[in-house]
Amino acid sequence: MATILRDLSYRYQWLYDTIARLADLSAGGEARLSQLALQNLTVSAETKVLDLCSRSRQTTQFLVQYSQALTGLDASPLSLQRARKNVPSANYVEAFAESMPFPYSLFDRSAQQHCDARNAIGAVARNLSGSIPGA
């Protein structure tokens, strides 16, 4: 969510949700976007997956069906509060994607949506072990 509304959207959940839903339309809607997170990825129950900009549940809810080691990261405390309620089996961390508070190579895979990939790519690469499929 790299817009001039970024800071406001983290304070006002209705704005955050509206921007995210509009962005979902470009991928064919929320359900389709959530499924795209696993496209070309091999994920097992032990695979450590980082769900960047996880919002309040969408992709996290889909990914938790495949991985028991799932961490959702989002800068919106309100979204994380809702995510913990909607998908309690995942772990959650409040932070911006470009400044993740994890040790290097902690995760095996990463899924992202609604992130400014230009700012986050370095942080993502540092936190993934092995190669990035499709890169």
Side-chain angles (χ1 to χ4, degrees), residues 31-100:
R32 171 106 170 94
L33 185 62
S34 295
Q35 293 172 1
L36 287 175
L38 284 177
Q39 189 173 336
N40 299 322
L41 291 180
T42 303
V43 177
S44 68
E46 298 80 31
T47 305
K48 292 182 231 155
V49 179
L50 174 62
D51 180 16
L52 287 170
C53 306
S54 61
R55 293 173 48 193
S56 57
R57 80 170 191 287
Q58 291 81 354
T59 302
T60 309
Q61 191 169 30
F62 183 75
L63 290 170
V64 80
Q65 298 173 44
Y66 299 92
S67 171
Q68 295 176 359
L70 180 66
T71 299
L73 180 134
D74 202 292
S76 169
L78 298 173
S79 285
L80 290 176
Q81 182 180 17
R82 287 172 43 194
R84 285 182 182 100
K85 180 181 174 189
N86 292 326
V87 188
S89 57
N91 298 308
Y92 297 96
V93 175
E94 182 183 334
F96 286 103
E98 58 267 25
S99 57
M100 290 184 259

Side-chain angles (χ1 to χ4, degrees), residues 21-32:
R21 285 188 183 110
L22 287 172
D24 289 350
L25 293 175
S26 67
E30 181 182 313
R32 171 106 170 94

Side-chain angles (χ1 to χ4, degrees), residues 50 52 96-105 107 110 117-128:
L50 174 62
L52 287 170
F96 286 103
E98 58 267 25
S99 57
M100 290 184 259
F102 304 116
Y104 287 175
S105 301
F107 299 98
S110 173
R118 295 167 297 179
N119 292 333
I121 195 68
V124 172
R126 285 189 299 274
N127 286 285
L128 287 176

